[in-house]
């Protein structure tokens, strides 16, 4: 049987994958300006609420990881709880999410790298050629030892986070000594609760990928202990980072009509704030940090998606080539190359669009797909841990709250019906699930035929 490299990763490297796919730097580089259009100055309040919701949703995932160690992540958890077919739908949806996130973040990395080249060297290079180069680098890093790729992701995201934290602290101190600090960003500020609720969807989606450390279950030392800590730490640390950064951005632009107009109009809020509170050069560094964050998210998504395909292939639900591993590094290289290739084709389809728009498209598609997987996993946790008599009635409150929250986020993402092309995204996700069911039946039949042939050959040999 093809195997991944056992006991290869420490808890730090496991945390790296979840943090990389969450991509907190990328989220902070774009989301606050978008959120301010509906929640005005209350983005920190929205992130506080969303952190609590994500913590509730992560409860089921963390509990599963204390019992199972697998490259299949949510696919395997749901399969063990709700059966092979439902497990496949959950895993296939999660695979699509990782592929969409990889495509979107590759485009985002290309877009920010393009901005960086223009800002520093005055050279204009389109996002797509840069994304193609980035994709080739991802193949090389993804195939090498997982220890190397996760450390690179952690380094990139770590540097990016430190830069934003430094700016946030500078803003907070300067505002404190001039205007004075206020807790107003943690209040409603005249915003309707319905607007806060709808904006929380965007904040919740900023945590997408927190579960990805689960896909390293077969490569991590002491996985039953390390992976739950990694997921919990990723959610907590990212939540604190979001609260601090969003607060700094809101008070940095100002809690008045002028400040609101400035933050909603800004396409690079962190860079703009750096120009005001630090220097233009620091703003350029933040553009670089955003590019690194998008790259690490794309790399992490590709690595997690490849392990998902590997696990499905090993279970006979995908073509057997997907379970091939590199003989030197024990990484699922065929699955990884396939994912990068498909993602490149997906980006080329939008060659005439801006890279940030492409990121938005694929990021939304990936978010819808991953919500389906989260819901199945939460339902599976209730069934599995109740059946095993691990959870009593009191324990069920948390996953039920998680399911209600996820259903609300999913519903708010598709209704009111968004404008074209976003109105097509739910149907794209549905079509993907249908395609997966067809493929799984096809490959399952092939596996049965192969096993039958082998049994007949064995019977003939024994008879002779």
């Amino acid at each position: 049987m093809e195997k991944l490299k056992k006991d290869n990763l420490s808890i730090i490297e496991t945390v790296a994958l979840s943090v990389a796919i969450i991509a907190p730097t990328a989220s902070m580089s774009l989301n606050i300006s978008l959120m301010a259009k509906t929640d005005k100055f209350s983005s920190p309040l929205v992130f506080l609420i969303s952190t609590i919701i994500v913590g509730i949703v992560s409860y089921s995932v963390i509990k599963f990881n204390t019992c199972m160690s697998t490259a299949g992540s949510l696919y395997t958890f749901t399969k063990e709880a709700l059966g092979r077919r439902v497990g496949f739908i959950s895993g296939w949806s999660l695979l699509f999410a990782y592929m969409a996130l990889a495509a979107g973040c590759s485009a985002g990395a290309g877009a920010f790298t393009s901005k960086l080249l223009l800002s520093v060297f005055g050279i204009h290079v389109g996002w797509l050629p840069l994304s193609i180069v980035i994709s080739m680098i991802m193949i090389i890093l993804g195939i090498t030892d997982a220890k190397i790729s996760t450390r690179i992701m952690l380094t990139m995201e770590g540097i990016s986070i430190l830069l934003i934290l430094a700016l946030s602290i500078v803003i907070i101190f300067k505002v404190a000594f001039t205007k004075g600090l206020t807790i107003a960003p943690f209040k409603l500020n005249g915003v309707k609760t319905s607007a806060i609720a709808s904006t929380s969807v965007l904040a919740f989606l900023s945590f997408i990928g927190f579960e990805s450390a689960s896909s390293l279950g077969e490569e991590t030392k002491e996985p039953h202990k390390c992976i739950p800590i990694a997921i919990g730490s990723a959610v907590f640390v990212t939540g604190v980072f979001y609260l601090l950064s969003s607060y700094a951005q809101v008070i940095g632009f100002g809690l008045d009509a002028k400040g609101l107009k400035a933050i909603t109009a800004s396409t690079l809020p962190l860079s703009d704030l750096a120009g005001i509170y630090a220097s233009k050069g620091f703003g350029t560094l933040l553009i670089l940090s955003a590019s690194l964050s998008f790259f690490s998210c794309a790399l992490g998504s590709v690595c997690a998606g490849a392990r998902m395909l590997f696990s499905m292939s090993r279970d006979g639900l995908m073509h057997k080539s997907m379970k091939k591993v590199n003989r030197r590094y024990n990484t699922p290289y065929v699955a990884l190359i396939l994912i990068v290739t498909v993602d490149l084709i997906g980006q080329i389809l939008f060659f005439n669009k801006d890279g940030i728009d492409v990121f938005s498209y694929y990021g939304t598609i990936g978010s819808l797909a991953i919500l389906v997987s989260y819901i199945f996993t939460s339902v599976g946790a209730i069934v599995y841990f109740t059946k095993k008599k691990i959870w009593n009635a009191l324990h069920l409150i948390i996953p039920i709250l998680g399911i209600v929250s996820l259903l609300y986020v999913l519903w708010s993402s598709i209704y009111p019906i968004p404008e074209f092309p976003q109105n097509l995204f739910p149907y794209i996700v549905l079509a993907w699930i249908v395609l997966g069911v067809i493929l799984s039946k096809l490959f399952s039949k092939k596996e049965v035929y192969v096993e039958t042939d082998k049994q007949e050959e064995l019977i003939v040999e024994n008879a002779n």
Side-chain angles (χ1 to χ4, degrees), residues 396-415:
L396 299 182
I397 295 175
I398 297 178
I400 289 173
L401 286 175
I403 292 169
V404 172
S405 300
L406 289 167
L407 288 172
Y408 173 77
V409 173
L410 183 60
W411 176 254
S412 299
S413 299
I414 61 179
Y415 188 85

Side-chain angles (χ1 to χ4, degrees), residues 291-313:
S291 179
L292 293 177
S293 181
F294 276 114
F295 175 81
S296 63
C297 179
L299 177 59
S301 299
V302 165
C303 291
R307 282 156 177 78
M308 183 69 62
L309 262 181
F310 166 84
S311 187
M312 288 181 169
S313 175

Side-chain angles (χ1 to χ4, degrees), residues 151-161 292-293 295-296:
R151 286 180 178 179
I152 289 173
M153 285 183 265
L154 182 62
T155 301
M156 287 184 172
E157 195 63 44
I159 292 173
S160 303
I161 289 173
L292 293 177
S293 181
F295 175 81
S296 63

Side-chain angles (χ1 to χ4, degrees), residues 165-184:
L165 284 176
L167 176 63
S168 298
I169 291 171
V170 168
I171 292 172
I172 290 171
F173 269 94
K174 287 192 174 182
V175 171
F177 285 107
T178 54
K179 302 177 183 178
L181 298 180
T182 173
I183 61 170

Side-chain angles (χ1 to χ4, degrees), residues 142-156:
I143 290 175
T144 57
D145 193 333
K147 187 185 291 288
I148 296 173
S149 59
T150 50
R151 286 180 178 179
I152 289 173
M153 285 183 265
L154 182 62
T155 301
M156 287 184 172

Side-chain angles (χ1 to χ4, degrees), residues 222-296:
E222 300 184 84
H224 295 309
K225 176 183 177 182
C226 289
I227 292 180
I229 293 175
I231 294 173
S233 299
V235 171
F236 176 76
V237 171
T238 301
V240 172
F241 172 73
Y242 283 160
L243 288 173
L244 182 63
S245 179
S246 62
Y247 180 77
Q249 289 187 57
V250 168
I251 65 171
F253 278 103
L255 301 177
D256 52 25
K258 183 180 178 181
L260 183 60
K261 182 179 180 180
I263 194 172
T264 54
S266 177
T267 56
L268 294 171
L270 288 173
S271 183
D272 291 342
L273 286 170
I276 299 171
Y277 292 92
S279 66
K280 185 178 179 180
F282 196 83
T284 302
L285 278 178
L286 289 173
I287 297 176
L288 172 61
S289 72
S291 179
L292 293 177
S293 181
F294 276 114
F295 175 81
S296 63

Side-chain angles (χ1 to χ4, degrees), residues 44 166-167 169 192 199 204-205 209 217 241 274 295 312 321 332 346 372 414 460:
L167 176 63
I169 291 171
K192 294 182 179 179
T199 311
F204 178 89
L205 298 180
F241 172 73
F295 175 81
M312 288 181 169
S321 63
V372 174
I414 61 179
V460 172

Side-chain angles (χ1 to χ4, degrees), residues 33-81:
S33 294
L34 298 175
M35 293 169 64
K37 293 176 181 179
T38 52
D39 69 13
K40 296 183 179 179
F41 311 115
S42 299
S43 294
L45 172 63
V46 175
F47 271 113
L48 178 61
I49 296 170
S50 298
T51 300
I52 295 171
I53 293 174
V54 173
I56 291 171
V57 173
S58 69
Y59 180 73
S60 297
V61 179
I62 290 172
K63 187 62 180 177
F64 267 124
N65 274 287
T66 62
C67 301
M68 306 177 199
S69 302
T70 172
S73 186
L74 307 190
Y75 152 65
T76 302
F77 301 156
T78 312
K79 181 185 71 172
E80 293 298 320

